[in-house]
Amino acid sequence: MTDEPILSVDETLAALRAVGEATRLRLIALLAESELTVKDATAILGQSQPRISRHLKLLAEADLIQRFPEGSWVYYRLADGPEGELARALVDRISKDDPVLAADQERFRAIRKAKAEEAAAYFAARALTWDQERSLHVSEEDVEAAMRKALGGKPFHSFLDLGTGTGRLLEVFASQYTSALGIDASHDMLAVARANLAKSGLANAQVRHGDVYALNVPPRSFDLVAIHQVLHFLEEPARALAEAARALRPGGRLLVIDFAPHELEFLRDKHAHRRLGFSHDQMERWLEALDLDLEQVTDLVPSEDTDNNLTVTLWLARDRRIVTDLPARDTSREVA
């Protein structure tokens, strides 16, 4: 016996009929790798927008995929239920050497690379003024005060700051950690961060070039991991959260700071934003899937007498593994 949801004969046949067409099978194979927009799919498959939209609609009606609207864009990904598992199983049985699917994957990688280069160019051009640009959205002083309040004043041993930018959080929490590491994909940002750390005399903090999707850090090694205003730049935020969770020690905490859902489309075109914020429900689902308990949510709403339309949200979650799994160390400092 199993508690896992299974499909009836009719549901299985409906799913197989939906995927039993060349274009739809190619779409399923792509969605098994990553979320896609209609624009992405049309570029990869070389078909018209109406045709791609029709195929995606049929797959969604068969519960094989899910759609997530964000402003004027819609993201598609494989469903989480048994239909989605069936789709993944089918893709796993297809030869990786199939020339059609291999060509699709090559075009998909090219699109992903172009988007990454676009974001990297944006960061490089704005490295010296990044802290100023953040302040245009919401008072950074208020955000930092909210972070301090959420975490409390107790010391923690090790701190990992993902997408560290100018290294600001390494300075904010300098009095609480024993050692800290900031990771960023932009060499320009890291140059600014190193200069800031040197100016502040923070010898117990360092920065390193790295990929939030593939962290070069030991698992279970940090008491606190922060992701500050990073997820909305990413194509796959859930994947970055999974890497952050992997780095947490048992009982460690993950602090995510990002925008609540909004409709400022110009942020996509002019500021390389990939996501127009994140809802409480969406973030909670992601954290729950990573075995993290959401302990606190804080919304920082801008005052009514400003033209600022962005709300900043703080999500604080804790790794639910038992803290006593930790190796022995200096007990004079408290675990976060």
Side-chain angles (χ1 to χ4, degrees), residues 148 151-159 168-180 197 200-205 224 333-334:
R148 290 192 184 97
L151 294 175
K154 294 181 180 180
F156 42 87
H157 183 69
S158 50
F159 173 42
R168 176 58 186 166
L169 291 193
L170 301 178
E171 298 179 63
V172 170
F173 297 115
S175 64
Q176 291 180 259
Y177 59 73
T178 302
S179 63
L197 294 178
S200 300
L202 295 180
N204 58 338
L224 174 65
R333 302 187 67 86
E334 298 182 51

Side-chain angles (χ1 to χ4, degrees), residues 84-327:
E85 291 303 318
L86 174 61
R88 290 181 180 87
L90 290 172
V91 172
D92 287 342
R93 303 298 297 178
I94 301 175
S95 170
K96 305 301 181 183
D97 298 325
D98 181 88
V100 174
L101 297 188
D104 287 346
Q105 288 295 327
E106 185 175 351
R107 287 188 289 270
F108 171 60
R109 287 192 293 270
I111 287 175
R112 177 178 284 180
K113 180 181 178 182
K115 290 180 178 180
E117 290 175 347
E118 180 184 344
Y122 169 78
F123 286 130
R126 291 159 175 81
L128 294 176
T129 60
W130 184 236
D131 283 333
Q132 293 176 337
E133 288 193 10
R134 278 183 171 175
S135 69
L136 296 176
H137 302 298
V138 66
S139 169
E140 202 64 19
E141 292 181 357
D142 290 342
V143 176
E144 292 174 5
M147 285 190 281
R148 290 192 184 97
K149 181 178 180 181
L151 294 175
K154 294 181 180 180
F156 42 87
H157 183 69
S158 50
F159 173 42
L160 177 63
D161 183 22
L162 300 182
T164 193
T166 61
R168 176 58 186 166
L169 291 193
L170 301 178
E171 298 179 63
V172 170
F173 297 115
S175 64
Q176 291 180 259
Y177 59 73
T178 302
S179 63
L181 173 64
I183 291 180
D184 205 283
S186 168
H187 291 288
D188 298 89
M189 284 290 191
L190 292 174
V192 176
R194 291 187 176 97
N196 289 339
L197 294 178
K199 183 178 179 180
S200 300
L202 295 180
N204 58 338
Q206 59 176 299
V207 294
R208 180 190 304 167
H209 183 263
D211 184 352
V212 296
Y213 292 141
L215 296 177
N216 186 22
V217 300
R220 301 162 57 106
S221 53
F222 292 91
D223 297 315
L224 174 65
V225 178
I227 311 178
H228 183 201
Q229 298 289 21
V230 171
L231 294 184
H232 61 254
F233 289 107
L234 303 181
E235 285 293 324
E236 300 177 87
R239 187 173 155 207
L241 288 172
E243 276 293 280
R246 184 182 66 84
L248 279 177
R249 297 176 66 88
R253 294 183 290 179
L254 173 64
L255 179 63
V256 179
I257 306 97
D258 219 295
F259 296 125
H262 62 85
E263 298 181 356
L264 301 184
E265 291 283 349
F266 77 91
L267 291 176
R268 280 195 172 117
D269 299 329
K270 296 184 178 180
H271 295 276
H273 288 209
R274 296 300 177 197
R275 302 301 180 101
L276 298 185
F278 304 94
S279 68
H280 294 175
D281 289 343
Q282 182 179 50
M283 189 64 67
E284 186 172 4
R285 286 196 303 271
W286 282 339
L287 296 174
E288 174 64 27
L290 298 171
D291 292 328
L292 300 178
D293 293 324
L294 185 60
E295 294 189 334
Q296 185 176 332
V297 179
T298 304
D299 286 322
L300 301 178
V301 182
S303 59
E304 296 181 356
D305 58 351
T306 70
D307 294 330
N308 190 333
N309 294 317
L310 294 176
T311 293
V312 171
T313 302
L314 283 71
W315 295 271
L316 181 63
R318 186 181 293 272
D319 187 307
R320 63 179 58 148
R321 291 172 295 181
I322 302 173
V323 179
T324 52
D325 289 342
L326 292 169

